[in-house]
Amino acid sequence: MNLYVLPSRDTVIFPGVIAPIYVGRGATLKAIELAATAEKRYIFVAVQRDPTTDEPGADDLYDVGTLCEMLQMIRMPDGTVKLLLEGKERMRARQYTVVDSMFSADLVSVRSSYVEDDHLKALLKEVLSVFEDYVNCHPRLPQEMIQPIAAAGDPSVIADMIAAHMTLDVKRKQALLECFRTDSRLELLLKYLLSEIELLKLGREIHMRVQKEVDQHQKEYYLREQMKAIQEELKINDSPESLELKTRAEQADLPEAVREKVDAELTRMSKMQAMSPEATVVRTYVEWLLDVPWNVKLPEQTDLSTVQKTLDANHYGLKRVKDRLIEYLAVRKQAGKMARAQILCLIGPPGVGKTSLGKSVAEALGRKFVTFSLGGMRDEAEIRGHRRTYIGALPGRIVQKLKEAGCSNPVMLLDEVDKIGSDFRGDPASALLEVLDPEQNSHFTDHYLELPVDLSDVLFITTANVSHTIPSPLLDRMDVIQLSSYLPEEKLHIAKEHLLPRVFAESGLTKKDLALSDAVLKTIIADYTREAGVRELDRKLATLCRKVVRARLECEEKGEAAGKTRIGVKNLHEYLGAPHSPDVRLPKQPEAGVAVGLAWTAAGGDVMPIEAVKMSGRGELKLTGNLGHVMQESAMTALGFVKSHWKELSGGTAEPKWHSVSLHLHVPEGAIPKDGPSAGVAMAIALFSALSGRRYRPGFAMTGEISLRGDVLPIGGLREKTLAAKRYGIVDLFVPEANRPDVEDMEPWISEGVNFTFVRKASQVFDAVLEKEAEK
């Protein structure tokens, strides 16, 4: 038999079933019209393997389909045709043929066969029973369809009718269509029915649970409205949420202004629906008002000797800082409430213990300790908070930290105050002016709370690496305490008393497992670390402990006894590698064209060798070493001084022909930016030494800005520069006369062993550090 083919995208028609199908493809419409003119209006319906294919080929159609009779054909307004088809029997297409884009197929009949025995009867009965459950679970299948299907009698027809009414995907329906044995088809149908019933039951459970939640919300809404009406009738203005907050407010110790604000907000809240957005905002606001420790003050340690012992136990040295804290406590103890609040600012290089000192202060005073970093902060709202009109608004960090402390008199550490930023969102540094001003912070106003918060009992401690990046108005409000670099002797004590016990504990070691002598610690400090603080020293000690722990565990795994490890100076390189070669940049013997200056950095002081050479040229001065504008101008000023004062500086040496001599001045470590005027004298020495040939004698270092007249002007960072010189073994320093007070204010352990020569004129330095005769 050869018939036209109707390719169906997603509709499988079973024998004995009447089903509609819509046709819109032009070639298929033409095939339908030709089939309708035949005596028997038959057409073969085959399903596409991929329903998204618009122009299917012969390989895109399943071989097994259904022979259908066209009962009715209705043309729709959009040009498509609605066909009403009745499935007659299963057929297999031996071959598909395409003529003028129309499919035709050579068909062969496929009969459904079965043997009516007890097994088939039991299987049919089970299928009908499960199908009844399926209809009961399905929301869109009527109960009335069960009886006509069961009355069909023929098991093959029953199976096809059930399959036609199930909501299965195309592949599973095609599998049923291709199942020719009736018993096999019933077994596959039973499998699909059971699977679909489980899905329907699960969907019903989900629906019932969602419906139950919706009903519960509706019930709550109804009851809430009833409660609201009853409260209005009885003149009761409190909701359950406001009653809970009101109880907290009655028990809390609040200032009068805060209590009035809480009562007003609770009255507003009682008249709102609990689930409304405005009620949530009000409830959060009231909770914050109740969480702030307005009048909660914890007792503090006022015994001066106890505070001193605590500070000494936690930090070595830092005498000036400790004395300042003890003085502050003494004034508070003596003057009581009349004592003025103090804002301390600890400025020093990284790793010298600024942050940990704040924690020790809190421990010594017996106060709570809170901290947050200001580094990179750009939004003013981080300090003052957001106004309540914004979604998700919160108080600023100051109020949040007060809540975290649980009292109004904690020690609050504001870290990295020198690294605050600013942009279009505001300037946090300006917001800090009120926080850190003792005259204003007793009534600090947070934008979120809209009530004054008393910060006068808070001990604010700020930390910074440098002071020149702190805005002047902010710096003026703080009591600045400078922390200098640690000397090797101090680092040795800190390593023995603080670092080693902590590193041992973190590594699971004891003194019985590892022995480190003072000589080893001094070697690590001198050869493996070059820093102002002790962070790198801490890392080196941790490296030693890790290697020792690994070696001990490896011995234990081999069954060997792990004895005490002794690390000496000779085998230290086995654990930390080769040491850094110290002082490789400093001149070891007299040579021309060099000088040693002193520099200040964020990591502490450092020595700065300066090199200069002369060559034939056109009188240019070339500057290298990544020098900033100020340092370049200082070099030009130094050369101008040398040119204008050549006769008095040279002592009769012939003056160079400036128009034919060029100079090149270089400051080593060119990858590091350098700037500032304090190397002016050293650059003048290097330039004059290169021009005159008089050699610079090692062992000297100098600092000071130079003018065109040869005056030596004052500089900053002399403490750090002095410590750097001592680290490198240089004890003869030339400093400006104007910096004499800075030397007198130094702690004795800094200036001890250093020979300071105070100079007003640069010529004084020339005569002292340069040899009398030129190099031959």
Side-chain angles (χ1 to χ4, degrees):
M1 179 185 297
N2 196 295
L3 291 176
Y4 287 107
V5 179
L6 192 160
S8 172
R9 290 182 185 270
D10 54 7
T11 303
V12 179
I13 299 178
F14 289 89
V17 176
I18 298 176
I21 188 169
Y22 289 87
V23 180
R25 287 184 283 217
T28 308
L29 290 172
K30 186 177 179 182
I32 291 171
E33 292 175 355
L34 292 175
T37 60
E39 182 179 354
K40 293 184 178 181
R41 301 170 49 165
Y42 287 160
I43 195 166
F44 180 68
V45 179
V47 181
Q48 296 179 196
R49 298 181 187 275
D50 183 4
T52 60
T53 304
D54 292 329
E55 299 293 336
D59 295 334
D60 295 326
L61 302 179
Y62 286 105
D63 295 337
V64 178
T66 308
L67 176 66
C68 298
E69 181 181 357
M70 295 186 292
L71 302 179
Q72 189 179 31
M73 185 168 62
I74 302 175
R75 297 188 182 276
M76 307 301 290
D78 59 354
T80 61
V81 172
K82 178 182 178 183
L83 284 178
L84 188 63
L85 303 176
E86 180 182 2
K88 293 298 184 180
E89 62 174 304
R90 286 174 173 77
M91 301 198 81
R92 181 189 298 274
R94 289 185 291 194
Q95 182 180 1
Y96 287 108
T97 306
V98 180
V99 179
D100 294 335
S101 300
M102 295 184 296
F103 281 96
S104 62
D106 183 13
L107 304 175
V108 61
S109 298
V110 180
R111 299 292 181 179
S112 297
S113 60
Y114 63 90
V115 177
E116 191 169 353
D117 54 8
D118 293 339
H119 172 73
L120 184 65
K121 291 179 180 179
L123 183 59
L124 180 60
K125 184 177 180 181
E126 181 65 18
V127 168
L128 288 172
S129 175
V130 174
F131 178 64
E132 185 175 354
D133 295 338
Y134 176 78
V135 172
N136 293 331
C137 293
H138 202 289
R140 292 187 296 273
L141 293 182
Q143 295 285 335
E144 293 78 9
M145 68 180 303
I146 299 175
Q147 182 60 32
I149 292 176
D154 190 339
S156 179
V157 175
I158 293 175
D160 288 340
M161 294 180 70
I162 292 176
H165 287 90
M166 289 182 65
T167 53
L168 299 174
D169 57 78
V170 174
K171 289 186 177 180
R172 289 195 288 178
K173 282 195 173 185
Q174 183 66 25
L176 288 170
L177 185 65
E178 294 179 357
C179 202
F180 306 132
R181 288 178 53 87
T182 302
D183 53 349
S184 300
R185 195 184 321 148
L186 287 172
E187 289 177 357
L188 184 60
L189 186 63
L190 181 60
K191 174 185 175 182
Y192 290 162
L193 282 170
L194 293 173
S195 175
E196 289 297 309
I197 287 174
E198 290 298 323
L199 291 176
L200 289 172
K201 286 182 178 179
L202 182 60
R204 178 181 290 182
E205 290 177 4
I206 295 173
H207 176 76
M208 292 179 63
R209 185 165 65 249
V210 172
Q211 185 64 39
K212 185 177 180 181
E213 292 178 0
V214 172
D215 292 344
Q216 181 66 25
H217 288 317
Q218 291 177 343
K219 179 181 178 182
E220 290 177 0
Y221 175 78
Y222 177 71
L223 292 175
R224 204 176 291 115
E225 290 298 316
Q226 282 189 325
M227 183 184 298
K228 185 177 179 181
I230 294 172
Q231 288 175 346
E232 290 177 355
E233 189 69 24
L234 298 178
K235 298 181 180 180
I236 300 174
N237 296 323
D238 293 329
S239 64
E241 292 84 358
S242 60
L243 283 173
E244 178 185 351
L245 293 175
K246 188 173 183 179
T247 303
R248 284 186 58 190
E250 292 172 353
Q251 297 173 353
D253 184 10
L254 303 175
E256 189 61 31
V258 178
R259 188 171 296 280
E260 291 177 359
K261 187 70 173 178
V262 169
D263 292 341
E265 294 295 326
L266 288 176
T267 302
R268 285 184 58 209
M269 180 179 169
S270 64
K271 298 178 181 179
M272 301 177 183
Q273 294 185 10
M275 300 304 294
S276 67
E278 183 65 20
T280 303
V281 172
V282 173
R283 181 165 57 250
T284 304
Y285 176 65
V286 173
E287 288 174 349
W288 268 106
L289 289 178
L290 298 177
D291 287 339
V292 175
W294 300 95
N295 294 326
V296 181
K297 293 183 181 180
L298 298 181
E300 66 179 26
Q301 175 62 256
T302 58
D303 185 67
L304 301 184
S305 60
T306 303
V307 175
Q308 182 73 53
K309 290 178 181 178
T310 304
L311 292 175
D312 290 339
N314 292 341
H315 286 269
Y316 179 75
L318 305 178
K319 184 177 183 301
R320 178 178 296 185
V321 183
K322 295 175 182 177
D323 289 344
R324 180 65 187 83
L325 294 171
I326 297 297
E327 293 165 5
Y328 163 76
L329 182 59
V331 171
R332 281 183 59 88
K333 185 177 181 179
Q334 180 70 22
K337 294 184 178 180
M338 297 299 296
R340 185 178 180 184
Q342 298 293 322
I343 314 298
L344 305 181
C345 180
L346 307 179
I347 298 179
V352 296
K354 300 183 296 297
T355 304
S356 59
L357 186 63
K359 191 172 183 179
S360 296
V361 170
E363 181 183 346
L365 298 179
R367 294 194 186 188
K368 292 292 185 67
F369 177 73
V370 290
T371 178
F372 67 93
S373 176
L374 298 171
M377 185 178 291
R378 296 180 176 273
D379 191 354
E380 177 195 1
E382 291 279 351
I383 304 298
R384 291 187 177 276
H386 294 85
R387 300 193 183 276
R388 281 195 289 160
T389 52
Y390 295 103
I391 297 175
L394 286 174
R397 300 288 292 277
I398 302 295
V399 174
Q400 292 182 32
K401 290 300 175 179
L402 282 180
K403 175 188 174 183
E404 179 183 329
C407 62
S408 61
N409 62 337
V411 174
M412 189 174 295
L413 181 75
L414 310 183
D415 210 4
E416 311 292 357
V417 72
D418 57 328
K419 299 176 180 62
I420 302 178
S422 63
D423 59 11
F424 64 92
R425 289 168 290 187
D427 184 6
S430 300
L432 281 175
L433 294 177
E434 181 182 2
V435 176
L436 300 181
D437 189 346
E439 301 295 334
Q440 301 182 48
N441 64 7
S442 59
H443 48 273
F444 168 71
T445 301
D446 186 274
H447 287 162
Y448 181 80
L449 297 182
E450 298 177 345
L451 290 169
V453 181
D454 187 3
L455 301 178
S456 59
D457 291 322
V458 178
L459 175 56
F460 286 102
I461 300 178
T462 64
T463 69
N465 296 129
V466 295
S467 59
H468 63 269
T469 58
I470 303 176
S472 298
L474 183 59
L475 188 64
D476 186 59
R477 284 166 166 77
M478 300 185 290
D479 190 355
V480 176
I481 302 176
Q482 294 283 348
L483 278 73
S484 57
S485 307
Y486 289 123
L487 286 177
E489 293 77 9
E490 293 179 305
K491 292 182 180 180
L492 176 63
H493 189 280
I494 292 172
K496 293 170 62 177
E497 301 297 327
H498 299 279
L499 300 183
L500 271 180
R502 178 171 57 80
V503 173
F504 273 21
E506 292 174 353
S507 303
L509 296 174
T510 63
K511 293 182 179 180
K512 297 179 181 180
D513 302 323
L514 174 61
L516 293 174
S517 64
D518 288 358
V520 172
L521 294 176
K522 289 179 180 178
T523 303
I524 296 175
I525 293 169
D527 295 346
Y528 289 90
T529 63
R530 289 286 177 180
E531 58 177 343
V534 292
R535 286 179 179 162
E536 184 64 21
L537 176 60
D538 186 29
R539 286 190 284 268
K540 295 299 182 183
L541 294 176
T543 301
L544 284 178
C545 291
R546 287 197 302 270
K547 293 184 180 296
V548 170
V549 169
R550 176 184 175 182
R552 292 179 61 85
L553 292 179
E554 289 176 349
C555 289
E556 293 176 0
E557 290 175 358
K558 296 177 182 178
E560 302 173 1
K564 187 173 185 178
T565 303
R566 298 183 182 275
I567 300 177
V569 176
K570 293 183 179 180
N571 66 339
L572 184 60
H573 67 279
E574 299 176 4
Y575 295 87
L576 297 180
H580 304 296
S581 300
D583 303 342
V584 293
R585 300 170 295 155
L586 300 180
K588 299 297 184 182
Q589 56 188 5
E591 47 183 306
V594 298
V596 178
L598 296 173
W600 181 95
T601 69
D606 201 358
V607 297
M608 184 172 62
I610 298 174
E611 305 170 350
V613 294
K614 71 172 181 177
M615 61 198 80
S616 59
R618 299 180 179 179
E620 302 97 344
L621 172 62
K622 186 174 183 180
L623 303 174
T624 57
N626 204 352
L627 309 184
H629 291 295
V630 176
M631 199 166 183
Q632 292 181 26
E633 293 178 355
S634 184
M636 296 175 186
T637 303
L639 181 58
F641 162 73
V642 171
K643 287 182 177 181
S644 61
H645 294 76
W646 179 265
K647 290 183 179 180
E648 60 185 87
L649 293 175
S650 64
T653 305
E655 184 173 358
K657 297 180 180 180
W658 301 111
H659 64 278
S660 62
V661 174
S662 292
L663 291 167
H664 184 173
L665 187 141
H666 175 70
V667 183
E669 297 188 5
I672 301 175
K674 310 169 190 71
D675 207 357
S678 63
V681 174
M683 289 190 287
I685 294 287
L687 291 170
F688 179 78
S689 175
L691 288 166
S692 66
R694 292 172 59 181
R695 296 184 297 181
Y696 177 86
R697 295 188 293 177
F700 295 95
M702 62 212 68
T703 181
E705 181 180 355
I706 193 172
S707 70
L708 286 173
R709 295 182 300 173
D711 295 329
V712 180
L713 307 179
I715 45 81
L718 187 58
R719 290 162 51 88
E720 286 76 11
K721 293 177 180 179
T722 304
L723 288 171
K726 292 184 71 173
R727 282 204 309 269
Y728 284 89
I730 301 176
V731 295
D732 293 313
L733 305 183
F734 291 88
V735 299
E737 176 67 33
N739 286 105
R740 186 185 291 270
D742 296 329
V743 176
E744 294 174 352
D745 287 342
M746 286 184 187
E747 294 87 339
W749 58 268
I750 297 179
S751 58
E752 183 180 0
V754 180
N755 301 320
F756 290 100
T757 301
F758 300 97
V759 295
R760 294 181 182 273
K761 292 290 185 178
S763 57
Q764 299 173 252
V765 185
F766 280 67
D767 296 335
V769 302
L770 295 178
E771 294 182 344
K772 299 298 182 182
E773 299 295 331
E775 183 180 10
K776 296 181 180 180

